[in-house]
Amino acid sequence: MSRPQPLSGFPELLPRQRIVEQQVVDHLRRAFELHGFANLQTRAVEPMDQLLRKGETSKEVYVLRRLQAEDTEPAGDDALGLHFDLTVPFARYVLENAGKLNFPFRRYQIQPVWRGERPQSGRYREFWQADIDIVDLGELPAHYEVEVALVVADALRGLPLPKLRMHVNNRKLSQGFYQGLGIRDTEEALRIIDKLDKIGHDAVAKLLIDTVDATPEQAEACLKLASISTADTSFVEQIRALGVTDPLLDEGLDELAAVVAAVAAEAPGFVVADMKIARGLDYYTGTVYEVFIEGQEHLGSVCSGGRYDKLASDGKHTYPGVGLSIGVSRLLVPLLQSGALDATREVPTCVLVALANEDERPAANALAQRLRGRGIPTQVSPSAAKFGKQIKFADKRGIPFVLFTNDEGTQIKDIRSGDQTTVDVDAWNPPAEDLHPTIVTAE
Amino acid sequence: MSRPQPLSGFPELLPRQRIVEQQVVDHLRRAFELHGFANLQTRAVEPMDQLLRKGETSKEVYVLRRLQAEDTEPAGDDALGLHFDLTVPFARYVLENAGKLNFPFRRYQIQPVWRGERPQSGRYREFWQADIDIVDLGELPAHYEVEVALVVADALRGLPLPKLRMHVNNRKLSQGFYQGLGIRDTEEALRIIDKLDKIGHDAVAKLLIDTVDATPEQAEACLKLASISTADTSFVEQIRALGVTDPLLDEGLDELAAVVAAVAAEAPGFVVADMKIARGLDYYTGTVYEVFIEGQEHLGSVCSGGRYDKLASDGKHTYPGVGLSIGVSRLLVPLLQSGALDATREVPTCVLVALANEDERPAANALAQRLRGRGIPTQVSPSAAKFGKQIKFADKRGIPFVLFTNDEGTQIKDIRSGDQTTVDVDAWNPPAEDLHPTIVTAE
């Protein structure tokens, strides 16, 4: 066959880029597990009726058909489609296994999702997400809205990423405020405010007046609220100063203040209360979160989520939850493609065992196995070529050490410095920073 | 919505089952990386023309269609399908990125694959595989056929699995033998021998006579060869004793002896030379491997692979390779579903921080964070319920330790033994075996 071409929207990584992605994902996983989140993997497919229930993304589903399907097989709503997020499968999993799960149930999930976007629109059609959620049975205490933000702050800390900022709001706060103003359709008002960044102040004011029958003064008050943004809890006073009172507003203010205070204390500079954050999806009912790359807010959020009270319900029971989804591909792929992130080498290998002749291979394998037994990634040279060629093999891949045997015994050569020492294979250790590849950032 | 039902063929795990699977996959990954294999992840989809090129599995493809597709979009061969193995995507990836890869290139890949089997046939339609392959440019030395077997032996060692046995053969050996006998269509002869376990001795003899024009004596000799099976290199003598000579047979005997000798030395009892192993796929050209659960060979192989010389070629260059694929789901799902494998707990959490009242939560969070900072998975109690209820919360999930504060200071309680001690939070460590959940096997 001729040389295949990449498929638009399906990014794939080179080995050294994948090492970076793998280490970032390992870091997230470790953080989630330190906070007691259990891992889940759900199947890639859901019945179409599940996928079509929620929000706008459901329009972008990939539908599956068996190549050898018979006419009698289900189609339409019973057909299968690839999931477009990890929330819908999780809600389905919780309902399906409710009797076997202990609530509150906290899980993380790191999997690809698929969106059947128009080809060549420059958007990903397959990408990885890392989600955490906590769901409870019947009632979900508000402190979990604080906790998931703290977990994400913790998980994103220490990663070689541009400065990230979490913008939070609370739907009770906004909707309570609109209610206190006298606006009836507060959900629609929220959807309109969500367009502020796209269509601007005047168009939003006009929409509020035309669509939810706001007076010009009410519209102005909504926009005033949306303009409030503070890195601490001073937003409470600023909102109080607008003179609107409502019990739902009070609840929202309290809950948002708790999130902002806790995250600001734990991760200084990471959180900002931002009253224009609304989130497009209808199912959020409390705190909503969006994380942006600072100064690149126009690229959209790289992590988002919120509290949802009615996403999973089987009629008898409801399972309210709160969660956040980190857009792993959205965050990493551009940084990898631009070279802003790279790995110190393209292989896990730390030591290459060189060969003087092919007969030595079994002995070299045994030597390599002794290093592996102590956790040192090692491979044996592909051939007993000239020593310089074997060094070049290591150098090309970034393997830092070459091991070989001469009259003086077993030698380890650091091919970067050229330093060579006689070693005891069962005692030698590479410097900690050379044991595994690490991430390097372009300055 | 009502309670969703599982989808036949798409197994999903409960949290404690997933912990087992995760640890097995971590073990495989660690082994592969210790041997210098770099990880790759390829996209889930391939163009249909790629998927339909190879072997019988290609009939079971899931074809994708965008829900909002327009008539002008590609269909047929240009349409996308889900990959049914990890070899076809890997071969495509190598061709696509050949200029950016260093050869010999060794990679591992752990991903789900999909097969559009008939519903309710009791077979998996989504399952995980863990593949390793080594490909080279132009020529691939035979020592890699030894190496991948050693890597898999190493990777499967130390896992809590039933006894596994690797059956190996070499196509050059079989085809050389048939050639030496005077049979012309040696590929077809191999395909017939591959059916031996299914259709038996007499039917195979008849097919050889009818299909490849073998004489009854030739057919008998083929069956004699297929009956040879040894755990060491004594198969060489047994085959020589059959009196057939051929240069290709000699090559095959040498290569197979090298694999068997090396694996038997490194993993005693793991390997057996088995002349009836043929592998259905046409593209194998040298060593072929199949790993069975001992005594349950009828369940089919849980790991298989071989050497392929022409799978990836762009016309100018060919990339011969050798690889093995471990059927992670095939191996684990039955053991998990039967309860033969389980985890010591269903959460990563090692310590639960109990609460005397809700006001303590920020302090409890800070305490938990200090334990996390030292790598101890910790979560805070969902509510300041009665102490007994908080203990029960831990107990239900298998969390071994509860931390709380009383007049005597910070206390750690092992809820299994009831032992309670005053501790310094910044110095206390759980016993190593309690830090993370571990796998337990039913006796």
Side-chain angles (χ1 to χ4, degrees), chain B residues 115-435:
Chain B
R115 301 216 175 147
E117 306 252 3
R118 291 175 62 86
Q120 276 145 18
S121 69
R123 303 188 63 175
Y124 298 143
R125 296 195 273 170
E126 172 178 285
F127 53 99
W128 285 73
Q129 292 192 335
D131 281 32
I132 57 164
D133 285 88
I134 302 174
V135 290
D136 209 340
L137 174 59
E139 299 279 329
L140 181 83
H143 64 73
Y144 289 124
E145 290 165 75
V146 177
E147 184 170 357
V148 293
L150 289 175
V151 175
V152 165
D154 206 20
L156 291 172
R157 192 179 2 228
L159 286 174
L161 298 173
K163 189 160 164 46
L164 300 173
R165 205 116 196 247
M166 177 182 273
H167 296 243
V168 284
N169 191 6
N170 187 302
R171 288 218 172 169
K172 291 181 191 167
L173 189 160
S174 304
Q175 289 184 252
F177 185 89
Y178 306 152
Q179 205 167 273
L181 277 175
I183 293 173
R184 305 273 297 256
D185 191 348
T186 61
E187 291 213 359
E188 185 59 30
L190 205 56
R191 271 192 291 271
I192 294 168
I193 288 290
D194 193 39
K195 296 179 184 158
L196 186 56
D197 277 342
K198 271 190 204 146
I199 64 175
H201 177 284
D202 294 353
V204 164
K206 187 168 185 319
L207 266 181
L208 286 169
I209 293 165
D210 294 351
T211 317
V212 298
D213 295 326
T215 64
E217 292 70 30
Q218 287 172 334
E220 204 44 53
C222 291
L223 282 156
K224 194 104 191 179
L225 177 71
S227 73
I228 293 174
S229 166
T230 69
D232 55 22
T233 55
S234 61
F235 70 88
V236 178
E237 252 176 82
Q238 293 188 31
I239 294 172
R240 294 270 182 232
L242 299 179
V244 177
T245 55
D246 183 89
L248 192 63
L249 169 62
D250 290 344
E251 250 183 72
L253 284 168
D254 283 353
E255 290 176 7
L256 188 60
V259 172
V260 172
V263 182
E266 171 129 351
F270 179 64
V271 75
V272 53
D274 182 348
M275 304 311 132
K276 73 171 180 299
I277 297 294
R279 305 275 303 130
L281 295 166
D282 288 345
Y283 53 70
Y284 292 118
T285 49
T287 311
V288 285
Y289 318 81
E290 296 213 52
V291 179
F292 298 98
I293 300 175
E294 208 173 52
Q296 301 195 47
E297 287 78 5
H298 62 280
L299 294 179
S301 67
V302 291
C303 168
S304 60
R307 179 192 175 111
Y308 44 87
D309 280 329
K310 294 166 209 99
L311 187 60
S313 168
D314 57 13
K316 262 189 287 188
H317 303 288
T318 60
Y319 301 86
V322 60
L324 277 152
S325 172
I326 300 174
V328 174
S329 302
R330 194 162 194 180
L331 202 48
L332 289 183
V333 172
L335 295 170
L336 291 168
Q337 285 175 343
S338 74
L341 290 182
D342 198 4
T344 47
R345 55 185 192 251
E346 66 184 44
V347 289
T349 317
C350 177
V351 177
L352 177 76
V353 180
L355 284 176
N357 60 69
E358 194 57 38
D359 296 343
E360 274 182 13
R361 185 170 298 278
N365 280 341
L367 215 56
Q369 197 63 7
R370 277 153 67 189
L371 288 172
R372 291 179 198 126
R374 293 193 297 111
I376 304 169
T378 304
Q379 66 187 81
V380 175
S381 194
S383 74
K386 279 188 191 153
F387 191 58
K389 207 176 157 195
Q390 297 188 57
I391 296 275
K392 205 175 155 194
F393 174 94
D395 190 36
K396 258 179 146 175
R397 289 158 178 79
I399 300 171
F401 298 99
V402 173
L403 182 148
F404 61 97
T405 306
N406 68 9
D407 297 346
E408 288 159 52
T410 306
Q411 307 290 314
I412 281 272
K413 191 186 186 79
D414 181 330
I415 66 166
R416 297 159 302 185
S417 63
D419 291 350
Q420 185 176 320
T421 41
T422 308
V423 293
D424 172 356
V425 172
D426 299 315
W428 176 81
N429 276 303
E433 67 273 22
D434 286 333
L435 183 59

Side-chain angles (χ1 to χ4, degrees), chain A residues 12-13 18 22 26 29 34 39 43-44 63 65-66 68 92-93 102 108 116 126 143 346 378 382, chain B residues 12-13 18 26 29 34 39 43-44 59 63 65-66 92-93 102 108 116 126 143 346 378 382:
Chain A
E12 284 186 326
L13 301 178
R18 171 59 186 155
Q22 222 178 351
D26 286 346
R29 170 182 167 184
L34 280 172
N39 185 241
R43 62 191 188 220
V63 190
R65 178 178 59 80
R66 294 200 309 122
Q68 312 249 311
R92 188 266 313 154
Y93 179 95
N102 285 309
Y108 75 94
E126 171 178 286
H143 63 74
E346 66 184 43
T378 304
Chain B
E12 284 186 326
L13 302 178
R18 171 60 186 154
D26 285 347
R29 170 182 167 184
L34 280 172
N39 185 241
R43 61 192 190 221
K59 285 179 236 143
V63 190
R65 178 178 59 80
R66 293 200 310 123
R92 187 266 312 154
Y93 179 95
N102 285 309
Y108 74 95
E126 172 178 285
H143 64 73
E346 66 184 44
T378 304

Side-chain angles (χ1 to χ4, degrees), chain A residues 343-397:
Chain A
T344 47
R345 54 187 194 248
E346 66 184 43
V347 289
T349 317
C350 177
V351 177
L352 177 77
V353 180
L355 284 176
N357 60 69
E358 194 57 37
D359 296 343
E360 274 182 15
R361 186 171 295 279
N365 280 343
L367 214 55
Q369 198 64 5
R370 277 153 69 189
L371 288 172
R372 291 180 197 124
R374 294 191 298 112
I376 304 168
T378 304
Q379 67 185 80
V380 176
S381 195
S383 74
K386 278 189 192 151
F387 191 59
K389 208 177 157 192
Q390 297 187 58
I391 296 276
K392 205 176 155 193
F393 175 93
D395 191 36
K396 258 179 149 176
R397 289 156 178 80

Side-chain angles (χ1 to χ4, degrees), chain A residues 109-304:
Chain A
Q109 210 169 328
I110 303 176
Q111 287 182 240
V113 304
W114 294 269
R115 301 216 175 145
E117 305 251 3
R118 292 174 61 86
Q120 274 144 19
S121 68
R123 303 186 64 174
Y124 299 143
R125 296 195 273 169
E126 171 178 286
F127 53 98
W128 285 73
Q129 291 193 334
D131 280 32
I132 58 165
D133 284 88
I134 302 174
V135 290
D136 210 338
L137 175 59
E139 299 279 329
L140 181 84
H143 63 74
Y144 289 123
E145 290 165 75
V146 177
E147 184 170 357
V148 293
L150 289 175
V151 175
V152 164
D154 207 19
L156 292 173
R157 194 179 1 228
L159 286 174
L161 298 173
K163 188 160 166 42
L164 300 174
R165 205 116 196 247
M166 176 182 275
H167 295 243
V168 285
N169 191 9
N170 187 300
R171 287 219 174 170
K172 292 182 191 167
L173 187 161
S174 304
Q175 289 185 252
F177 185 89
Y178 306 153
Q179 205 167 275
L181 276 175
I183 293 173
R184 305 273 296 256
D185 190 348
T186 61
E187 290 213 0
E188 185 59 29
L190 205 56
R191 273 192 289 271
I192 295 169
I193 288 291
D194 193 39
K195 297 178 183 159
L196 185 56
D197 278 342
K198 272 191 204 147
I199 65 175
H201 177 285
D202 294 353
V204 164
K206 188 170 183 318
L207 267 180
L208 286 169
I209 293 165
D210 293 352
T211 317
V212 298
D213 295 326
T215 64
E217 292 70 30
Q218 286 172 335
E220 204 45 52
C222 291
L223 282 156
K224 195 105 191 179
L225 177 71
S227 73
I228 294 173
S229 167
T230 68
D232 55 24
T233 55
S234 61
F235 70 89
V236 178
E237 251 176 82
Q238 293 189 32
I239 294 171
R240 295 271 182 231
L242 298 178
V244 177
T245 55
D246 183 89
L248 192 62
L249 170 62
D250 291 343
E251 250 185 71
L253 284 168
D254 283 353
E255 289 176 7
L256 188 60
V259 172
V260 172
V263 182
E266 171 128 350
F270 180 64
V271 74
V272 54
D274 182 349
M275 304 310 132
K276 72 170 181 300
I277 298 294
R279 305 275 304 132
L281 295 166
D282 287 346
Y283 52 72
Y284 292 118
T285 50
T287 312
V288 284
Y289 318 81
E290 297 213 50
V291 179
F292 298 98
I293 300 175
E294 208 172 52
Q296 302 194 47
E297 288 77 6
H298 62 280
L299 295 179
S301 66
V302 291
C303 168
S304 60

